[in-house]
Amino acid sequence: MQTILTVEDDRAITASLEEFLSSEGFRTLSASGERQALAILASERPDLLLVDLGLSDGSGFSVCRAAKALKLPVIFLTARSDEDSVVKGLDMGDDYIAKPFRPRELLSRIRNVLRHYETDSAVVYLGFGITVDTEKGTVARNGSEIQLSALEYRLLLVFVDNRGRLLSRNKLLEDIWDIAGDYVNDNTLTVYIKRLREKIEEDPQDPKIIKTVRGLGYRMD
Ligand code: CA
């Protein structure tokens, strides 16, 4: 099921959009302004954002910038009087639709943009602003690349490929053996996990992406 995040300060519009989008089989999230939208993006990965340009809390452009840093598509919802901003918006967003709009027209634009993005599915979102582009082999926080060693990257990929599964230390050692060779043992694995956490976790002392399952191993949710 695909998720759409609506960022709009007009509750009536949000409510009718949510009702319509759910009836079309989408999961819906909503934010009334920039702050709330950024909070949602820190923990959720919607497939597309509908962003009102004129927000009472913050700006639709800032929300769009944050979404673009996470490689998420954006359709702007604009008031007729915003026509001037629309040109600027089109450079940033993927499409826009002027209010009031017909739900069917919005739906066809949503489907169109989603179709366009599905071809770019090599990007995996780990939460907390971290994305992994498995095609390019890059890792980024809020769109800025993080430098990982080959072994750290490989270790991260093992977690990405086994999300939600408990990985024992032995399984991890097996999976990185081909690039780590005999140099990696139980102690060095601890060191590599620590280094990887220092690069991707907000607080490496309290890891949220790669969690320790005491006595058993590690897990990425
Ligand atoms: Ca508004």
Side-chain angles (χ1 to χ4, degrees), residues 11 15 27 42 51 58 78 82 93 105 137 141 143 175-176 179 200:
R11 284 174 193 282
R27 176 175 167 251
V51 179
T78 66
D82 285 337
E105 190 189 347
R141 169 180 282 117
D175 280 17
I176 60 171
I179 65 165
I200 64 168

Side-chain angles (χ1 to χ4, degrees), residues 161-181:
D161 289 342
N162 292 281
R163 283 182 89 165
R165 256 181 253 161
L166 170 72
L167 293 173
S168 67
R169 299 177 62 86
N170 276 341
K171 160 81 175 145
L172 285 167
L173 284 169
E174 261 168 42
D175 280 17
I176 60 171
W177 185 84
D178 59 341
I179 65 165

Side-chain angles (χ1 to χ4, degrees), residues 8-10 52 54-56 99:
E8 163 67 77
D9 54 1
D10 184 326
D52 176 28
L55 294 169
S56 43
K99 296 187 264 190

Side-chain angles (χ1 to χ4, degrees), residues 25 34 60 100 111 147 158 170 210:
E34 181 182 335
R111 295 214 194 284
Q147 298 298 329
V158 176
N170 276 341
I210 297 174

Side-chain angles (χ1 to χ4, degrees), residues 69-70 128-133 138-146:
L70 298 169
F128 309 94
I130 303 285
T131 48
V132 183
D133 187 325
T138 53
V139 180
R141 169 180 282 117
N142 299 325
S144 316
E145 199 171 329
I146 300 173

Side-chain angles (χ1 to χ4, degrees), residues 48-193:
L48 183 142
L49 283 84
L50 298 175
V51 179
D52 176 28
L53 266 188
L55 294 169
S56 43
D57 159 31
S59 122
F61 289 124
S62 308
V63 175
C64 182
R65 248 190 305 277
K68 287 287 139 192
L70 298 169
K71 301 200 188 316
L72 300 176
V74 173
I75 296 178
F76 281 115
L77 308 175
T78 66
R80 293 276 171 207
S81 56
D82 285 337
E83 279 322 332
D84 286 350
S85 321
V86 160
V87 180
K88 188 179 164 201
L90 266 187
D91 287 343
M92 281 184 81
D94 297 276
D95 201 354
Y96 79 96
I97 189 162
K99 296 187 264 190
F101 46 80
R102 282 171 314 181
R104 288 279 140 204
E105 190 189 347
L106 176 64
L107 183 66
S108 86
R109 288 177 186 227
I110 289 174
R111 295 214 194 284
N112 205 18
V113 170
L114 284 175
R115 227 182 344 262
H116 184 77
Y117 262 72
E118 267 159 19
T119 52
D120 183 28
S121 59
V123 179
V124 183
Y125 183 57
L126 304 185
F128 309 94
I130 303 285
T131 48
V132 183
D133 187 325
T134 56
E135 213 160 78
K136 295 194 191 125
T138 53
V139 180
R141 169 180 282 117
N142 299 325
S144 316
E145 199 171 329
I146 300 173
Q147 298 298 329
L148 296 188
S149 71
L151 209 142
E152 288 158 357
Y153 180 68
R154 176 57 178 271
L155 192 54
L156 183 63
L157 273 195
V158 176
F159 281 106
V160 169
D161 289 342
N162 292 281
R163 283 182 89 165
R165 256 181 253 161
L166 170 72
L167 293 173
S168 67
R169 299 177 62 86
N170 276 341
K171 160 81 175 145
L172 285 167
L173 284 169
E174 261 168 42
D175 280 17
I176 60 171
W177 185 84
D178 59 341
I179 65 165
D182 292 332
Y183 300 108
V184 66
N185 58 37
D186 207 51
N187 287 332
T188 51
L189 178 66
T190 306
V191 173
Y192 286 124
I193 298 259

